Amino acid sequence: MGPQARPGVTALAVAVLALLAERPMHPYEMYQLLIRRGEDVLVKVRPGSLYHTVARLAEHELVRAEGVDRSGNRPERTTYRITELGEQALRNKIAEVIRYPHAEYPMFPLALAEAHNLPAADVTALLQERLRHLRADIEDFDRMTDWATENHVPRRYWIVLPYLRATVGAEIAWIDGFLAELGSGALEWERFDPESGARIAGPEHPWADAGHPERPPVPRRAAAASP
């Protein structure tokens, strides 16, 4: 099978390959370990999708079945081992993601860009609720960091925690500033009819107005991805 036939390595595939780089294990053990380590904050983990991912990795020779284990009345469980191709695919994918900031298209920036479709009061209430969730995330990251420190877990295994804390902290700071600007009236907002809730028609979005003499700037990554 040539390299061009190999699949893209998904986020869950990275998690699976990384577990098997530690030692052979069966899919249910992988699932339990990912949850126990709290790695479901990094990748969406579901038993069905994990089993499907393992099957695809085996199909493309990145992992191989090593044996079947049966304990008591439990169903048979196939143990998998990472192959040399799998180790190379894992390292290549990690290096690729670290090297270049690919656009991942999370939903929050899109919702924020279109938030002017909601009344300012609604946006304020929704963002205040989001802040409560984000501050709870900060508490969770701190609790996990404290546990890792107290239990002398080498930092290389949880270096992602301060990164996550910093990114969430930056989002909290930005939202706090945005809410202050929106609440003071310094930020002009769309107008809505207080009775019907309908938006009062205003000018069209001016950013890419066809009549504008200059083309607006676009991110370099977006431009590079354009056909």
Side-chain angles (χ1 to χ4, degrees), residues 171-201:
E171 182 176 332
I172 289 173
W174 188 90
I175 292 175
D176 279 336
F178 173 75
L179 287 176
E181 191 177 7
L182 189 60
S184 69
L187 177 62
E188 184 181 1
W189 203 253
E190 303 280 4
R191 294 180 299 131
F192 292 80
D193 185 283
E195 295 184 3
S196 67
R199 183 168 59 179
I200 299 173

Side-chain angles (χ1 to χ4, degrees), residues 33-95:
L33 196 51
L34 288 171
I35 298 301
R36 194 158 62 241
R37 290 178 176 177
E39 294 196 28
D40 49 331
V41 303
L42 304 176
V43 60
K44 186 176 182 179
V45 182
R46 296 288 184 273
S49 56
L50 191 146
Y51 277 84
H52 176 72
T53 295
V54 172
R56 288 202 70 226
L57 291 173
E59 178 185 348
H60 292 279
E61 302 176 357
L62 301 183
V63 305
R64 68 169 181 267
E66 190 170 70
V68 177
D69 175 47
R70 183 162 191 165
S71 177
N73 294 324
R74 294 177 179 176
E76 292 183 346
R77 291 173 175 169
T78 302
T79 298
Y80 291 86
R81 175 185 294 275
I82 194 170
T83 64
E84 289 186 12
L85 287 174
E87 290 183 354
Q88 192 60 52
L90 173 64
R91 293 174 183 176
N92 288 346
K93 187 63 176 182
I94 293 171

Side-chain angles (χ1 to χ4, degrees), residues 121 123-133 135 175 179:
V123 173
T124 297
L126 293 167
L127 285 176
Q128 287 172 340
E129 182 176 349
R130 184 180 183 88
L131 283 175
R132 289 194 291 273
H133 292 297
R135 289 183 174 121
I175 292 175
L179 287 176

Side-chain angles (χ1 to χ4, degrees), residues 146-158:
D146 290 344
W147 183 92
T149 302
E150 292 166 4
N151 287 273
H152 308 289
V153 179
R155 284 189 67 227
R156 64 183 178 276
Y157 294 115
W158 51 274

Side-chain angles (χ1 to χ4, degrees), residues 86-106:
E87 290 183 354
Q88 192 60 52
L90 173 64
R91 293 174 183 176
N92 288 346
K93 187 63 176 182
I94 293 171
E96 173 192 336
V97 173
I98 290 176
R99 176 186 300 117
Y100 188 78
H102 292 280
E104 297 176 358
Y105 305 107

